[in-house]
Amino acid sequence: MPSTGRPAPGAAPALSPVTRPSTVDLITAELRNAIYSGALRVGSPIREVEMAGQLGVSRGPFREAAQRLVSEGLVVATPGRGLSVRTIGKDRIRPLYAARTVVETSAARIAVAEAGDEQVASVRAAHDALVRADATHDALQVGAADLNVHWALVAASGNPWLLRWMTTLIVEVRIASFTVSEEYVVRKDAAESHAPLVERLEARDADGLDAAIRANLDDAVTRLLTPEAAGVETLEEPRPLPAPRLDPIDL
């Protein structure tokens, strides 16, 4: 992860297991995590020579990794201007969250029916981490732990396609949050608001879990689009400062 002056804000976007990661896999994960953390700001250029040098890799694999992120929709290629981190404005929030809803509710129903005790326990552990993050009153840490609960729930389904889509969606949610506001905003009671997701999974209540996910995501859309109408206490933090140097990758 790039050095951001604080603990890494959650592992969600990096949790796309590769048995034997190649150099390109490692660079892709590093860049994806830098976008997720805000170290690479929304709309900022991807400077191939500079960033490859910082990561300690050659330009060939760096270019391939960047193109992977283009295919994921996290990086944009503009003719004559090169590559830049994507922005996601308010007009795309509802479609983005509609996609999240489809992925998360589909995964939830599979998890209710098929997840073993270990997978269910991993979702509880993710929520426990959210409880600890709440105590820090650090919006970025709370937001990362919040997203990791959702990621763990999708992971509990055991469906690799849903998990891959969710991995990209989580980063896009962060991009949207950084795009639409000068501050990163999360619920102050994030752990409490996510408790029904874990409880309904543990109870093997598919309909209840589906409803809890939809309510949680609808609330997030309201906070992003019309924060004055959300009606909940929030934590706010200014968006991250311009990108620091990226740490070299251990090859």
Side-chain angles (χ1 to χ4, degrees):
M1 289 291 293
S3 174
T4 58
R6 67 174 65 202
L15 295 179
S16 184
V18 179
T19 304
R20 293 180 180 177
S22 67
T23 299
V24 175
D25 295 323
L26 294 171
I27 298 168
T28 303
E30 189 74 12
L31 292 176
R32 188 188 296 116
N33 287 343
I35 294 169
Y36 175 78
S37 70
L40 290 180
R41 290 176 63 93
V42 293
S44 65
I46 303 294
R47 297 185 175 91
E48 179 183 306
V49 175
E50 177 184 340
M51 292 183 183
Q54 290 177 3
L55 294 172
V57 299
S58 61
R59 293 171 62 184
F62 182 93
R63 188 178 300 119
E64 184 177 344
Q67 287 302 320
R68 285 190 185 181
L69 296 185
V70 171
S71 67
E72 290 181 17
L74 303 179
V75 168
V76 177
T78 304
R81 298 181 60 185
L83 303 179
S84 60
V85 179
R86 184 183 178 188
T87 60
I88 299 177
K90 287 189 175 182
D91 61 321
R92 305 302 293 168
I93 296 294
R94 292 192 187 280
L96 171 60
Y97 273 79
R100 275 192 71 181
T101 300
V102 170
V103 169
E104 293 190 36
T105 56
S106 298
R109 290 188 177 276
I110 296 172
V112 165
E114 301 180 10
D117 291 344
E118 183 177 349
Q119 287 71 40
V120 174
S122 71
V123 181
R124 171 59 70 181
H127 186 265
D128 290 343
L130 177 55
V131 172
R132 294 191 294 273
D134 262 2
T136 70
H137 303 294
D138 181 312
L140 284 173
Q141 288 195 41
V142 172
D146 168 329
L147 290 172
N148 206 41
V149 171
H150 292 269
W151 194 95
L153 180 57
V154 174
S157 74
N159 185 298
W161 284 273
L162 292 174
L163 188 57
R164 185 171 72 240
W165 296 332
M166 186 63 178
T167 299
T168 299
L169 284 168
I170 279 177
V171 185
E172 290 180 306
V173 166
R174 268 296 180 87
I175 289 173
S177 297
F178 292 144
T179 302
V180 303
S181 175
E182 289 298 320
E183 295 182 318
Y184 187 76
V185 182
V186 296
R187 288 183 65 132
K188 203 169 187 177
D189 62 345
E192 181 180 347
S193 69
H194 282 73
L197 277 65
V198 188
E199 293 165 356
R200 292 304 90 209
L201 175 63
E202 292 174 336
R204 304 288 178 166
D205 176 3
D207 289 341
L209 179 54
D210 185 296
I213 290 170
R214 291 177 186 275
N216 185 280
L217 297 182
D218 286 348
D219 170 76
V221 169
T222 298
R223 282 186 286 107
L224 284 168
L225 295 181
T226 54
E228 67 281 357
V232 295
E233 289 189 84
T234 58
L235 297 171
E236 299 85 24
E237 183 164 338
R239 292 186 304 179
L241 296 173
R245 287 182 56 84
L246 301 178
D247 290 337
I249 293 175
D250 183 1
L251 301 177

